[in-house]
């Protein structure tokens, strides 16, 4: 049984049919990437999984349990956390307060402190700046904070939406190194990323989405070598 199994979901924004029968799986311990052009449905897929945009039909199961009946905050408690596009930090709160909010569904104080130390080990810069107002951080530091806040939920499945967006190339490499490290520690990851080459370089498998439908799926290595993917998403003629 896959950790995450999405079966034939149809998601709408009003009358706009955004997802038209999306199906995908993520096995425990994997990094799976979802690539596609802007407006293809990548973010909507993540929002559907975490309960922010409920599908009208289809099912989403986490370790065999149907998530469709749960609200977003309940899905967090089930072990699904999301690092949203644009980071979504609380700009007027401090770094420490943002991280505390990541653990709002938990009451295991000792374990929370352990996870805080883990976040500070992964992102030493956040430890240095824990009293700083989050809105004054650099873009890279804000991405670290958004990721650290998600890790404070102690997720089994981490959804990441465009983590490299707006970052300098050197920071992009650093963020992807962190994603690999988080996965190596045991967190399963579903990654949406405009930088398809970087995403496929660290993922185990990948899906290609176009206009709300999955049109291709394969190992990440095979997708990198696929002529259609190279021309459409990797900039290789």
């Amino acid at each position: 049984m896959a950790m995450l199994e999405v079966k034939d979901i149809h998601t709408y924004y009003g009358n706009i049919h955004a997802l038209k029968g999306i199906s995908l799986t993520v096995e425990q311990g994997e990094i799976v990437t979802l690539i596609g052009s802007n407006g293809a449905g990548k973010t909507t897929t993540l929002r559907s999984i975490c309960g922010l945009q409920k599908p009208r039909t289809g099912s989403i199961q986490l370790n065999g349990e149907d998530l469709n009946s749960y609200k977003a905050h309940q899905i967090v408690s089930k072990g699904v956390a999301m690092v949203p596009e644009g980071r979504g930090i609380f700009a007027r709160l401090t770094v420490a307060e943002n991280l505390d909010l990541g653990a709002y569904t938990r009451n295991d104080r000792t374990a929370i402190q352990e996870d805080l130390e883990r976040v500070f080990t992964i992102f030493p810069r956040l430890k240095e700046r824990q009293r700083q107002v989050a809105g004054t951080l650099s873009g890279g530091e804000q991405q670290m904070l958004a990721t650290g806040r998600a890790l404070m939920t102690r997720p089994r499945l981490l959804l990441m939406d465009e983590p490299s967006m707006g970052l300098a190339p050197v920071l992009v490499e650093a963020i992807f190194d962190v994603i690999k490290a988080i996965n190596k520690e045991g967190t399963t990851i579903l990654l949406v990323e405009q930088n398809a080459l970087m995403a496929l370089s660290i993922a185990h498998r990948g899906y290609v989405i176009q206009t709300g439908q999955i049109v291709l799926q394969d190992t990440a290595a095979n997708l990198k070598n696929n002529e259609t993917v190279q021309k459409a998403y990797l900039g290789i003629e």
Side-chain angles (χ1 to χ4, degrees):
M1 179 191 299
M3 171 181 273
L4 176 71
E5 187 166 8
V6 177
K7 291 182 181 178
D8 194 28
I9 62 170
H10 292 255
T11 302
Y12 291 75
Y13 292 96
N15 292 323
I16 298 172
H17 196 176
L19 300 184
K20 305 167 185 175
I22 294 290
S23 296
L24 59 83
T25 61
V26 182
E27 301 288 343
Q28 185 166 341
E30 280 191 311
I31 300 175
V32 173
T33 188
L34 184 62
I35 62 175
S37 59
N38 287 334
K42 303 186 302 294
T43 294
T44 302
T45 299
L46 296 190
R47 287 175 58 86
S48 297
I49 293 167
C50 69
L52 293 173
Q53 194 72 31
K54 290 290 188 182
R56 286 192 191 173
T57 60
S59 70
I60 299 169
Q61 294 186 343
L62 183 72
N63 293 321
E65 182 178 10
D66 197 331
L67 297 181
N68 287 9
S69 61
Y70 293 111
K71 296 180 179 178
H73 70 279
Q74 295 171 316
I75 292 174
V76 172
S77 299
K78 295 291 180 181
V80 180
M82 183 169 173
V83 182
E85 180 182 356
R87 292 133 205 171
I89 61 166
F90 297 97
R92 295 185 180 182
L93 301 182
T94 65
V95 168
E97 289 168 338
N98 270 271
L99 293 174
D100 283 343
L101 283 172
Y104 81 100
T105 61
R106 302 171 58 187
N107 54 22
D108 48 340
R109 298 308 306 174
T110 300
I112 289 172
Q113 187 59 39
E114 291 173 357
D115 288 340
L116 183 61
E117 292 304 321
R118 176 194 176 206
V119 168
F120 286 154
T121 298
I122 296 171
F123 301 114
R125 188 72 59 85
L126 296 183
K127 186 171 185 177
E128 296 170 6
R129 303 186 186 280
Q130 54 187 302
R131 290 186 173 84
Q132 186 169 329
V133 174
T136 65
L137 297 174
S138 69
E141 290 165 346
Q142 289 185 15
Q143 186 61 54
M144 295 175 193
L145 180 56
T147 304
R149 182 183 60 192
L151 291 176
M152 289 300 295
T153 71
R154 192 171 277 194
R156 291 184 286 171
L157 174 65
L158 183 62
L159 310 177
M160 304 193 75
D161 194 0
E162 304 285 9
S164 76
M165 181 178 287
L167 300 185
V170 65
L171 290 176
V172 171
E173 289 195 15
I175 286 294
F176 276 91
D177 284 343
V178 165
I179 294 171
K180 287 192 293 184
I182 292 169
N183 175 250
K184 193 172 181 180
E185 289 183 359
T187 303
T188 303
I189 297 172
L190 178 57
L191 171 67
V192 160
E193 177 55 54
Q194 197 68 30
N195 189 332
L197 183 59
M198 287 292 288
L200 291 171
S201 295
I202 67 167
H204 299 96
R205 293 188 300 113
Y207 293 84
V208 178
I209 184 172
Q210 290 179 2
T211 58
Q213 296 177 303
I214 299 294
V215 296
L216 191 60
Q217 58 177 300
D218 210 329
T219 65
N222 285 346
L223 288 175
K224 279 177 70 176
N225 293 321
N226 181 287
E227 185 175 341
T228 301
V229 172
Q230 288 179 343
K231 288 181 179 180
Y233 305 110
L234 304 184
I236 301 173
E237 295 297 333

